[in-house]
Amino acid sequence: MLRMKFVGFKMIFIIALSLLGPVVNSKETSEFKLPTNFNPVSYELYVDTYLEDNFMFDGVVGIRMTCIEATDTIVLHSNSLNIDTESVVVVNGFGFIFPVDSISFDPKKDLMYVKSTENFKPGDKYVLTIPFTGNITDQLAGYYKSSYVDKESNQTRWLAVTQFEPADARRAFPCFDEPAYKATFKICLGHKKGLTSISNMKLMKQTNSPSKPDYVFDEYEESVPMSTYLVAYMVSDFVYTEANRGYDQVKFRIISRKDAANQTELAINLGPKVLKYYEDYFDEKFPLQKQDMAAIPDFSAGAMENWGLVTYRETELLIDLDVATVDNVHGVAEVIAHELAHQWFGNLVTMKWWTDLWLNEGFATYVAARGVDYLYPEWNSFQDETVQNFLHVLDLDSLQSSHPVSVAVGHPDEIAQIFDTISYTKGSFLLHMMNTFLGEDTFKQGIRNYIHKHKFSNAEQDDLWSSLTEEAHRQGTLDKNLTVKQIMDTWTLQTGYPVLKVVRDYSAGTVTLSQERYLTIKSNGTDNKSCWWIPITMKTSGDLNQTNAKFWLNCENNNLTTPLAKDNEWVIYNMQMAGLFRVLYDTRNWMAIISTLNDPTKYETIPTLNRVQLIVDSLSFSQVGDIDYKITFQLLKYLKHEKEYAPWLAAIHGLGPINNLLKRTPKHAVFQNYMQRMLSSVYSKFRNMDVNINGFEDIHFKNIVTAEACSHQIKDCTQQALDLFRKWMKIIDPDNNNILPRELKPVIYCQAIKCGGVDEWNFLWERYQRSNLGHEKENILFALGCSSRKLLLHRYLNWSLDSSIIRKQDASTVFYYVAKNNAGYSVAKDFLYRKIADISEYYQPRGDHVGRYVNVIGSQMKTKEELEEIQSFINKSSGYLKGADLVINQTIETIKRNTEWTSKFYNKIVNYMVQ
């Protein structure tokens, strides 16, 4: 599943919406897991869907299962379903009815107990049949409803669709709702004539209902073995766009609203190509005969990889290529590639338990970047992905309250909270790191062996390590005395990441390497317990360039001294930023690096990705007091002749925390002036908004520089945006004739709304209501939160909790955009404090959504008084924050970090910026 992303000054930073949170006091115990007495083999599921009247469903499920251990009780999952307990039947393998003594439920654990007067026998087969009914809710989980307005008739149309990951299949039918319980599914869907249904497999036949003349039954082929969270079905009046059958025998369709069918061209073109790429990459055929991809108007996440029926938020699948930005195209390509990668990693081979969620999400994220690179080789997007991942993981994983990649979880609330940056982005980066030190051939073949061995089954982290080790030993790319498990367990089972400390003895011609965990709030004493296997690669000013790991820094040799020629002015470690760690040099080495960087003829002797790391590391080390800010600001001076996008992205990202901590303080003006000076040379290159730029990186470069220039009030940037926007306002048909440069629309919208008034806001709101394009609506939602008018922002936040005005899927996004706006912060904070009960009720049963509201407010706090204020709010509101404890703990630690920085550096930082 792809979690939605916030785009914080829209095109600057991509920050996972599911923010990093700690996992505390969590044990993967049997308390929340099913007993192992039964194994489901197959399901027969019949569901009737009733739309537009009472929004409910009814059905019956027959579960064929094998008894593994003697017991008198079948335990399975059920949540929010009405069960006709009198009609629950158990039949044994001989067709005899087995006596049912009682049916009971444990709502806190979502469990249903079917107790018999006799013992079920190990090895015997049984069929459990359960009739059920339920409501088609608007909770965006389980079997839920969505709607849209049909343009032709101006009428509201309803549909019903499933979203079961991680633990919501139990809201749609009683089942063994854990990933290890794979079974086949034969699904039959009843619905009104005039509507159509789809499910994971191909439709076999449709028959008229004997009891309801206006209803039909759609019967689907039996599925391959799969976990319950991958079951999917939908009833709607959507239309189908089918790809040309050039690709083997797989039938490929995009399913959407009729009014959006003209936005399916990109998806129908990319989908079959990337599916074929994965077949070749994994050396494993796609096992189904069809692949549907459906665009859903209301969708909580970004997309969901259900086998044979991938569901998407509209913005992640549909696109109008006539008006789309490069970012839009990249975003859709990336999400399609992510979900189709899951068909192998997640669907074909599934983790045994959510502890190894990263095997699904980390792999899909990593392989999606490879897939996009295959589709658009001219973009160099894999480097961009590497930089983005590096930046965000290092930021979020530097908290004591982070959690390991492979993390013990129990209660469903905990499961939902680990769909975060650690599982997705850190998991992806660690795979990139492995690919680098094992080599492409070993890595790819090891993955193939893993898939071949465990297909249609379940696996865990150690199974992957085993396959990679065997292949690495076979190819000779890893020492026979070393295993992938030895190395990688240190990265996946421990929280955080290391800092590699580099201290040179210039007279002796040696360098000493050591490591410790990197934390933004220093713990009492050094954290000596943590230790990683760090691949050592390096480059010197004397042209020594070791890009393959020659040796490892590990727990056995954690203080390693090696020779280094005296005439090397500097040494740099972690070539091409391939390892997930920071590097801290001694002052003399920093100054030698800075001297090279500040020479326009020499700075490119340091590779681009290492320039990125030097920027982000120096800013981070200064933030925690490991090096003086004076060194960092001397390093940043070199940017005046930096021509590449990635280092500028790193600098703007790295300066973000300073901006955040000086916002709404008297000293913010000094930071604004510093940014204006720093940006002046590069902004002059991109100054004219009307000039179109070509090329993926250059477009991103112009976008980020322009957004920063406007944000930091470079006058002609804001004026250009206002002039262009007001010119657009005067166009006769602004919806079909948007004259703004397409790549800069988000920046222009935001600046016009920020500096404009009610007229500009209302004009853009009208465009939102009239637009049929998901990406355009997303840009507008962002921009409307940029207003400086508090009354407008207050009204906007109230509208966000009314799904008839703003879709529920977008509510937390609206709050985020308002809260990140200087003028909107106090409005958003007040809204959260007053409306917490309403916000919590709106998102039931998903408490983790509420945590996002607290996080965006708390992460901007920086004083002890503010910390006490939000802690008091959290204590008073604890009943409304159930299921958000992970992100709440992270928020508190972030405020403590901010407070510490403010007390140390607030009065000093300006001295470095005025030089």
Side-chain angles (χ1 to χ4, degrees), residues 330 334 365 369 381-390 428:
H330 176 260
E334 188 176 44
T365 304
S381 61
F382 193 79
Q383 175 175 289
D384 183 54
E385 180 86 6
T386 302
V387 172
Q388 296 275 9
N389 289 351
F390 192 77
S428 171

Side-chain angles (χ1 to χ4, degrees), residues 46-95:
Y46 298 84
V47 181
D48 282 331
T49 299
Y50 305 97
L51 287 171
E52 298 188 16
D53 37 27
N54 53 1
F55 294 109
M56 54 92 62
F57 59 90
D58 61 37
V60 60
V61 64
I63 309 173
R64 187 175 299 277
M65 54 200 177
T66 304
C67 180
I68 306 299
E69 299 165 12
T71 179
D72 64 356
T73 306
I74 303 169
V75 187
L76 68 163
H77 289 108
S78 177
N79 183 355
S80 306
L81 295 171
N82 300 309
I83 306 295
D84 180 0
T85 55
E86 297 297 316
S87 302
V88 173
V89 175
V90 179
V91 175
N92 66 17
F94 301 104

Side-chain angles (χ1 to χ4, degrees), residues 322-323 325 689-690 692 720-729 731 734 737-750 752 763-764 767 776 780:
D322 291 334
V323 297
T325 65
M689 289 185 178
D690 272 330
N692 288 326
Q720 276 191 79
L722 266 172
D723 291 347
L724 285 165
F725 190 87
R726 286 172 176 161
K727 188 177 174 184
W728 179 43
M729 286 176 71
I731 297 286
N737 189 14
N738 190 327
I739 59 168
L740 304 182
R742 71 164 78 176
E743 299 291 349
L744 289 174
K745 281 195 291 187
V747 178
I748 294 169
Y749 288 174
C750 180
F763 170 80
L764 200 57
R767 307 286 72 74
E776 180 69 355
I780 293 172

Side-chain angles (χ1 to χ4, degrees), residues 429 432-434 436 535 537 574-581 613:
F429 199 95
H432 169 60
M433 186 172 86
M434 269 200 293
T436 305
T537 57
N574 196 22
M575 296 316 297
Q576 301 300 336
M577 217 167 65
L580 190 64
F581 54 92
Q613 177 155 23

Side-chain angles (χ1 to χ4, degrees), residues 776-891:
E776 180 69 355
K777 291 171 87 78
E778 195 175 59
N779 288 336
I780 293 172
L781 281 179
F782 153 67
L784 293 171
C786 295
S787 177
S788 303
R789 305 292 181 102
K790 294 193 174 184
L791 283 174
L792 288 174
L793 294 174
H794 182 74
R795 182 181 69 179
Y796 192 34
L797 289 175
N798 280 318
W799 283 358
S800 74
L801 294 185
D802 184 341
S803 59
S804 68
I805 302 175
I806 292 170
R807 291 188 185 275
K808 181 182 281 195
Q809 65 179 19
D810 297 319
S812 60
T813 310
V814 167
F815 184 85
Y816 179 89
Y817 291 148
V818 173
K820 292 296 279 186
N821 164 8
N822 278 357
Y825 174 77
S826 59
V827 179
K829 184 172 74 167
D830 177 63
F831 182 81
L832 172 65
Y833 287 1
R834 285 186 302 103
K835 295 272 196 176
I836 183 62
D838 295 337
I839 294 167
S840 177
E841 184 181 353
Y842 194 60
Y843 282 108
Q844 286 302 315
R846 294 297 303 275
D848 58 314
H849 283 63
V850 187
R852 299 170 189 166
Y853 283 69
V854 181
N855 182 276
V856 69
I857 294 297
S859 63
Q860 298 182 75
M861 291 180 164
K862 52 212 169 212
T863 66
K864 288 179 180 175
E865 292 75 20
E866 287 176 311
L867 175 59
E868 289 169 7
E869 171 196 310
I870 202 162
Q871 279 184 319
S872 172
F873 163 73
I874 288 166
N875 293 339
K876 287 178 192 169
S877 309
S878 58
Y880 301 120
L881 299 172
K882 184 176 175 291
D885 53 317
L886 307 189
V887 77
I888 296 293
N889 285 353
Q890 183 227 344
T891 303

Side-chain angles (χ1 to χ4, degrees), residues 35-296:
T36 55
N37 304 102
F38 284 91
N39 245 353
V41 177
S42 63
Y43 290 75
E44 288 194 8
L45 177 62
Y46 298 84
V47 181
D48 282 331
T49 299
Y50 305 97
L51 287 171
E52 298 188 16
D53 37 27
N54 53 1
F55 294 109
M56 54 92 62
F57 59 90
D58 61 37
V60 60
V61 64
I63 309 173
R64 187 175 299 277
M65 54 200 177
T66 304
C67 180
I68 306 299
E69 299 165 12
T71 179
D72 64 356
T73 306
I74 303 169
V75 187
L76 68 163
H77 289 108
S78 177
N79 183 355
S80 306
L81 295 171
N82 300 309
I83 306 295
D84 180 0
T85 55
E86 297 297 316
S87 302
V88 173
V89 175
V90 179
V91 175
N92 66 17
F94 301 104
F96 296 119
I97 293 177
F98 212 73
V100 173
D101 181 43
S102 65
I103 310 284
S104 58
F105 301 89
D106 181 349
K108 287 185 178 177
K109 296 179 184 176
D110 299 346
L111 296 179
M112 173 180 176
Y113 302 89
V114 181
K115 193 174 188 306
S116 171
T117 54
E118 296 180 22
N119 259 3
F120 299 99
K121 294 178 183 175
D124 283 5
K125 312 283 186 195
Y126 299 90
V127 177
L128 170 63
T129 303
I130 308 172
F132 57 88
T133 62
N135 293 317
I136 303 173
T137 69
D138 60 359
Q139 294 175 345
L140 309 185
Y143 194 30
Y144 72 91
K145 63 187 176 187
S146 176
S147 67
Y148 69 95
V149 175
D150 176 60
K151 285 203 167 181
E152 199 175 308
S153 64
N154 202 32
Q155 289 185 332
T156 299
R157 305 286 194 207
W158 292 95
L159 60 138
V161 65
T162 57
Q163 170 56 44
F164 290 163
E165 191 180 27
D168 289 317
R170 63 193 69 175
R171 293 177 177 275
F173 60 97
C175 56
F176 293 81
D177 198 13
E178 292 176 5
Y181 289 110
K182 285 194 168 182
T184 60
F185 289 81
K186 195 163 187 186
I187 295 173
C188 184
L189 301 174
H191 59 85
K192 208 168 189 175
K193 289 178 179 175
L195 300 176
T196 54
S197 74
I198 45 171
S199 187
N200 304 87
M201 305 303 290
K202 280 176 67 176
L203 179 66
M204 279 201 313
K205 62 178 179 180
Q206 184 177 88
T207 54
N208 289 318
S209 167
S211 56
K212 292 178 282 220
D214 56 345
Y215 270 68
V216 290
F217 292 120
D218 293 340
E219 195 176 334
Y220 290 87
E221 290 179 348
E222 188 166 28
S223 76
V224 293
M226 61 185 184
S227 306
T228 47
Y229 78 87
L230 294 169
V231 173
Y233 42 91
M234 179 169 87
V235 172
S236 71
D237 67 347
F238 281 8
V239 297
Y240 301 76
T241 307
E242 189 169 343
N244 293 329
R245 212 64 170 286
Y247 168 60
D248 292 350
Q249 296 305 307
V250 179
K251 185 178 181 180
F252 211 105
R253 301 184 301 182
I254 309 297
I255 296 147
S256 68
R257 296 180 287 115
K258 181 183 172 185
D259 296 329
N262 63 337
Q263 300 172 41
T264 60
E265 180 188 343
L266 185 73
I268 207 72
N269 179 38
L270 297 188
K273 287 180 183 174
V274 81
L275 205 67
K276 184 72 173 73
Y277 169 74
Y278 289 147
E279 284 195 331
D280 295 339
Y281 187 86
F282 295 126
D283 190 29
E284 182 71 47
K285 282 284 187 187
F286 180 67
L288 307 185
Q289 291 180 302
K290 66 97 175 174
Q291 177 62 66
D292 290 328
M293 304 204 294
I296 313 299

Side-chain angles (χ1 to χ4, degrees), residues 621-636:
F621 290 138
S622 295
Q623 188 180 349
V624 298
D626 284 339
I627 64 173
D628 197 297
Y629 264 117
K630 185 178 180 181
I631 292 174
T632 296
F633 280 98
Q634 279 184 275
L635 186 150
L636 292 175

